[in-house]
């Protein structure tokens, strides 16, 4: 059944990003889309203008890393939601509803469910304890040099893999939507990203994300509004008609093959839930608001936008079944039920064209480009701060460094990361990179999250335990992904995977927790008992914000 | 300063109340979500049943939509209580600690 857009494996490949990287590789270069290019140029001009004004105001490290803590809860909520609603979410998940029906809706819920948990258990403590990077929290009462090095290394690993996956996906998507050459697309993304981050720092990065989130919410809503108007805004009518024409028939709204196996289901749920809570570019957003109250409110806004948008995506997929799925113009050789022109992930784009013509198609394509740009900028920002703030300022210089010098190092790090991203993006053009996103989420969930949550909640965590837990989680996540289908079979060419699940979280996370526990408990050094004593004061700061870094005067 | 905060019974009150509330909500979310995942894994047919005999809407759609809305309402409930009650308590604890210092 070739028409199935996703193989079982890529369905379980945990993030729509993986789907994007996977599916766009089949897309072919289209004729230049001028509507899209002109609208995208507007976006670039606007965001570069913001970057310029941000650059003139960025003076301290706080300005650079966290926009001086001056982002409001509403703005930050939009930015967090923006980080979460990627191009791949829009394209991959609407296509999934189109092809699989109800499974797509379940998948959307899995993506959403982690947010309330982050709010209840993490948001306030993150803001009260952190300053610029999440390593500030893990290293709070532990050995600065060793723990920061560990946290920065796993952050950088996550950032690099995620960045490569995004760059390759971006190149292919832009080639498809805009009719630009792959290399040109990679250079455009890389250079704009460097400009935003190096000059505008967190202020520019956040505003790029906010503008894009608004464009995405507006574009998605408009498409669904126009599509639903065809059916008199009757959900029941759409559902009934969709069941009548879809190959799945009445089974369209039944759970399908996606979560048939409970272990896969739990592993996926864990990976998506805690992966998000360990991604450095998301964690960093908690430090851009003035206090714990604003952090709390920003998660509420963010989860509201995400919940709304995910339901919009569900409706896009459903109406797409009727509007795109029944129109021969959108299929190769005009064969309804065959392959969609441009590949399976083009559903949202075709739907936009069907209900709003070339103008709406151009707008949505520009949104998709803006989305990629915003996400890679956030990643570069997180990577640059791990290099300059954690490794250079704290590990190499032991905190003896001027703010100007630290910002300069961040800028150099951004240029370096951007160049690496461009080179690797071009090098990996034809490679199968689906595993990289799995790896990024796996490492985030297994290396970053356990040590972070233990450092906030468990008095007994010592440097030794944190290092074992962190490195153990990192290593086991890498090994499990290496042995899973996406690398062992798809890249290395072996017949069967040694590790049957694509998402390593269910297994790598307990390993990290266990190692951190055992090696903390068995640590009887003087240093360890001092670290345990220091928890009392850390706990008061976490609970009350006493001593927390407040917003810089703006 | 930290010592005085710790000694303040209001601080203990704040911590205990917030912990109970946050964990209760978190456990509700986790139970509902993983309960749902278990139903998907073990009894998928149940979710395919229509909510009314002549309706096209299935229990599966209704349950997922309910969770989207309910989880968000829980989050809103947490933020509402934290903004009012917990923040007021925190301010009181901090103010009292500062006053004692003077």
């Amino acid at each position: 059944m070739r028409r199935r857009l996703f193989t079982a494996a890529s369905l379980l490949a945990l993030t729509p990003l993986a789907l994007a990287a996977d599916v766009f590789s089949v897309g072919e270069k289209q004729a230049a889309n001028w509507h899209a290019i002109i609208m995208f140029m507007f976006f670039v001009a606007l965001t570069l203008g913001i970057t310029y004004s941000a650059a003139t105001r960025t003076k301290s490290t706080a300005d650079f890393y966290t926009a001086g803590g001056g982002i409001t809860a509403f703005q930050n909520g939009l930015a967090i939601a923006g980080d979460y609603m990627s191009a791949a979410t829009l394209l991959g998940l609407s296509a999934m509803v189109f092809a699989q029906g109800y499974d797509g809706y379940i998948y959307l819920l899995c993506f959403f469910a982690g947010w309330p948990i982050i709010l209840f258990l993490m948001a306030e403590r993150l803001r009260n304890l952190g300053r610029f990077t999440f390593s500030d929290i893990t290293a709070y009462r532990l050995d600065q040099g060793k723990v920061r090095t560990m946290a920065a290394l796993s952050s950088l690993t996550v950032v690099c893999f995620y960045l490569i996956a995004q760059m390759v996906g971006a190149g292919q998507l832009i080639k498809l939507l805009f009719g630009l050459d792959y290399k040109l697309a990679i250079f455009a993304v890389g250079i704009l990203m460097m400009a935003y981050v190096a000059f505008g720092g967190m202020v520019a990065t956040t505003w790029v994300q906010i503008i894009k989130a608004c464009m995405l919410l507006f574009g998605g809503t408009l498409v669904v509004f126009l599509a639903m108007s065809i059916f008199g805004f009757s959900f029941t009518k759409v559902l009934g008609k969709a069941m009548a024409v879809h190959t799945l028939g009445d089974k369209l709204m039944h759970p399908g093959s996606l979560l048939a196996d409970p272990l896969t289901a739990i592993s996926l749920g864990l990976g998506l839930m805690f992966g998000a809570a360990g991604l450095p570019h998301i964690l960093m957003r908690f430090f851009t608001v003035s206090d714990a109250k604003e952090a709390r409110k920003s998660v509420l806004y963010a989860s509201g936008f995400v919940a709304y948008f995910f339901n919009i995506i569900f409706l896009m997929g459903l109406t797409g079944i009727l509007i795109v799925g029944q129109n021969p113009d959108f299929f190769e050789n005009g064969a309804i039920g065959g392959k969609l022109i441009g590949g399976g992930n083009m559903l949202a784009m075709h739907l936009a064209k069907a209900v709003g013509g070339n103008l709406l198609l151009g707008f949505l394509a520009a949104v998709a480009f803006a989305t990629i740009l915003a996400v890679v900028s956030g990643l570069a920002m997180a990577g640059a701060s791990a290099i300059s703030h954690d490794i250079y300022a704290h590990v190499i210089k032991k905190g003896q460094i001027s703010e100007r010098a630290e910002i300069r190092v961040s800028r150099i790090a951004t240029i370096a990361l951007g160049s690496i991203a461009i080179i690797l993006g071009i090098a990996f053009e034809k490679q199968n990179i689906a595993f990289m996103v799995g790896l990024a989420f796996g490492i985030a969930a297994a290396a970053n999250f356990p040590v972070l949550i233990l450092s906030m909640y468990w008095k007994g965590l010592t440097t030794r335990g944190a290092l074992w837990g962190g490195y153990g989680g990192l290593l086991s996540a890498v090994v499990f992904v290496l042995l899973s289908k996406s690398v062992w079979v798809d890249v290395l060419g072996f017949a069967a995977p040694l590790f049957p699940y694509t998402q390593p979280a269910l297994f790598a996370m307990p390993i990290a927790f266990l190692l951190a526990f055992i090696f903390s408990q068995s640590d009887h050094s003087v240093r360890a008992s001092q670290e345990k004593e220091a928890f009392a004061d850390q706990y008061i700061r976490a609970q009350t914000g006493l001593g927390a870094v407040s917003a810089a005067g703006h | 300063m930290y010592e005085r905060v710790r000694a303040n019974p209001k601080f203990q009150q704040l911590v205990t109340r917030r912990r109970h509330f946050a964990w209760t909500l978190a456990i509700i979310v986790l139970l509902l979500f993983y309960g749902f995942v278990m139903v998907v894994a073990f009894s998928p047919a149940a979710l395919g049943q229509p909510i009314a005999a002549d309706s096209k809407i299935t229990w599966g759609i209704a349950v997922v939509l309910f969770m989207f809305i309910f989880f968000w309402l829980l989050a809103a409930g947490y933020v509402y209580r934290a903004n009012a009650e917990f923040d007021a308590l925190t301010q009181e604890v901090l103010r009292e600690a500062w006053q004692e210092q003077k």
Side-chain angles (χ1 to χ4, degrees):
Chain A
M1 189 157 170
R2 284 197 70 91
R3 179 169 120 62
R4 286 236 160 163
L5 307 167
F6 309 91
T7 61
S10 68
L11 272 179
L12 305 178
L14 24 124
T15 78
L17 261 167
L19 303 180
D22 226 11
V23 181
F24 291 135
S25 55
V26 299
E28 275 155 33
K29 192 175 158 181
Q30 307 283 311
N33 179 341
W34 288 106
H35 286 292
I37 292 172
I38 291 167
M39 276 187 267
F40 181 70
M41 287 300 169
F42 270 116
F43 172 80
V44 170
L46 180 63
T47 47
L48 283 179
I50 290 172
T51 306
Y52 177 78
S53 94
T56 56
R57 281 183 289 130
T58 299
K59 293 191 179 67
S60 65
T61 46
D63 292 336
F64 187 81
Y65 292 126
T66 62
I71 305 286
T72 69
F74 184 75
Q75 292 163 346
N76 196 41
L78 271 172
I80 294 176
D83 269 323
Y84 216 58
M85 303 182 299
S86 59
T89 318
L90 169 71
L91 303 175
L93 291 178
S94 59
M96 196 166 175
V97 174
F98 175 73
Q100 312 264 329
Y102 188 60
D103 276 357
Y105 203 27
I106 299 178
Y107 211 95
L108 286 163
L109 180 70
C110 287
F111 262 98
F112 169 72
W115 281 105
I117 304 288
I118 292 178
L119 168 65
F120 302 146
L121 303 181
M122 291 176 77
E124 295 166 25
R125 290 183 189 217
L126 282 174
R127 179 60 191 88
N128 280 338
L129 293 172
R131 188 159 173 239
F132 296 152
T133 63
F134 82 93
S135 324
D136 290 335
I137 303 168
T138 44
Y140 190 84
R141 64 195 159 90
L142 306 179
D143 185 297
Q144 290 283 333
K146 289 177 193 157
V147 174
R148 264 186 205 277
T149 309
M150 183 269 293
L153 272 183
S154 58
S155 285
L156 281 171
T157 320
V158 172
V159 167
C160 283
F161 283 115
Y162 214 122
L163 206 53
I164 296 171
Q166 282 280 359
M167 291 299 274
V168 175
Q172 272 143 5
L173 178 66
I174 292 162
K175 185 172 81 178
L176 196 62
L177 292 179
F178 286 68
L180 291 180
D181 184 57
Y182 179 89
K183 287 194 180 68
L184 188 65
I186 296 276
F187 271 102
V189 171
I191 288 168
L192 281 170
M193 169 186 100
M194 284 190 248
Y196 292 144
V197 179
F199 298 113
M202 195 57 168
V203 177
T205 309
T206 304
W207 278 102
V208 169
Q209 197 61 268
I210 291 173
I211 295 170
K212 162 242 144 168
C214 293
M215 284 166 70
L216 191 58
L217 287 167
F218 172 74
T221 306
L222 187 61
V223 169
V224 166
F225 178 84
L226 292 172
M228 289 299 284
S229 72
I230 298 175
F231 306 100
F233 297 101
S234 163
F235 179 64
T236 325
K237 202 168 153 191
V238 170
L239 207 54
K241 285 184 175 231
M243 283 181 185
V245 300
H246 200 280
T247 44
L248 289 171
D250 284 347
K251 294 274 184 224
L252 184 64
M253 285 298 125
H254 284 242
S257 53
L258 172 59
L259 297 170
D261 159 29
L263 271 187
T264 305
I266 297 180
S267 196
L268 182 80
L270 278 177
L272 293 184
M273 203 178 247
F274 298 114
L279 287 174
H281 65 295
I282 300 240
L283 290 170
M284 193 175 59
R285 294 231 167 268
F286 288 94
F287 312 133
T288 61
V289 289
S290 58
D291 55 22
K293 181 178 186 172
E294 296 296 300
R296 191 194 291 147
K297 277 158 64 185
S298 38
V299 180
L300 182 65
Y301 288 124
S303 53
F305 292 126
V306 170
Y308 168 76
F309 189 67
F310 281 7
N311 280 285
I312 285 283
I313 287 182
F314 180 55
L315 288 178
M316 266 189 194
L318 282 183
T319 50
I321 293 172
L322 296 171
I323 298 171
V324 176
Q326 294 301 302
N327 186 339
D329 292 350
F330 295 115
F331 289 93
E332 281 183 6
N333 309 320
I336 289 181
K339 192 167 168 267
L340 280 177
I341 291 173
N345 276 10
M346 296 310 287
L347 185 264
M349 296 297 155
H350 290 325
L351 184 63
K353 186 172 179 178
V355 299
N358 276 330
L359 200 63
L360 191 55
L361 171 69
F363 181 72
L364 215 60
V367 171
F369 197 165
T371 298
I372 289 171
L373 208 49
V375 173
V376 292
S377 302
L379 284 167
M381 187 72 222
S385 51
I387 294 172
S388 59
H389 180 65
D390 293 329
I391 294 182
Y392 188 77
H394 279 93
V395 178
I396 297 176
K397 292 285 179 181
K398 312 256 183 268
Q400 304 300 312
I401 179 174
S402 73
E403 297 205 353
R404 284 176 68 96
E406 193 175 331
I407 295 177
R408 197 170 59 237
V409 174
S410 301
R411 290 188 166 137
I412 296 169
T414 307
I415 307 290
L417 275 172
S419 313
I420 292 173
I422 291 175
I423 294 168
L424 293 182
I426 290 171
F428 281 92
E429 181 184 355
K430 308 269 187 243
Q431 306 295 312
N432 184 337
I433 45 105
F435 74 91
M436 286 186 183
V437 178
L439 200 54
F441 261 71
I443 295 170
N448 293 350
F449 176 75
V451 179
L452 178 62
I453 198 90
L454 284 177
S455 72
M456 292 195 290
Y457 273 88
W458 187 42
K459 178 177 189 250
L461 185 73
T462 68
T463 298
R464 194 164 77 137
L467 292 177
W468 274 92
Y471 286 122
L474 180 64
L475 195 70
S476 49
V478 171
V479 170
F480 282 134
V481 171
L482 209 64
L483 299 181
S484 74
K485 184 181 173 297
S486 53
V487 178
W488 197 249
V489 180
D490 297 348
V491 178
L492 299 175
F494 288 95
L498 296 178
F499 177 73
Y501 306 98
T502 320
Q503 176 52 261
L506 181 60
F507 304 93
M509 268 174 70
I511 291 176
F513 275 115
L514 201 67
L515 285 174
F517 180 75
I518 292 171
F519 285 94
S520 295
Q521 285 295 58
S522 61
D523 188 353
H524 301 296
S525 62
V526 181
R527 158 119 220 158
S529 58
Q530 283 167 353
E531 285 166 359
K532 287 174 192 167
E533 266 170 41
F535 184 79
D537 286 354
Q538 179 198 328
Y539 183 66
I540 288 176
R541 173 162 161 182
Q543 291 285 355
T544 62
L546 177 62
V549 182
S550 56
H554 260 275
Chain B
M1 186 74 187
Y2 285 104
E3 205 44 63
R4 281 191 301 278
V5 170
R6 202 172 5 254
N8 192 334
K10 281 182 189 156
F11 174 69
Q12 300 305 334
Q13 199 181 17
L14 166 73
V15 170
T16 320
R17 275 196 212 164
R18 179 157 59 197
R19 188 174 57 216
H20 281 167
F21 192 48
W23 278 102
T24 309
L25 295 180
I27 287 167
I28 293 174
V29 169
L30 290 172
L31 279 181
L32 280 177
F33 178 68
Y34 283 102
F36 168 74
V37 169
M38 288 296 111
V39 176
V40 171
F42 290 109
S43 176
L47 293 168
Q49 299 304 314
I51 50 170
D54 56 345
S55 175
K56 288 289 177 193
I57 298 173
T58 60
W59 276 106
I61 299 178
V63 167
V64 172
L65 183 63
F66 167 77
M67 277 194 277
F68 268 115
I69 296 168
F70 184 62
F71 289 174
W72 190 81
L73 288 178
L74 288 182
Y78 178 79
V79 170
Y80 180 77
R81 186 167 166 197
N83 282 353
E85 184 185 337
F86 301 147
D87 277 357
L89 256 176
T90 308
Q91 290 313 316
E92 249 174 76
V93 169
L94 291 179
R95 198 171 50 237
E96 284 168 20
W98 280 114
Q99 272 165 359
E100 280 176 54
Q101 195 173 35
K102 278 173 194 166

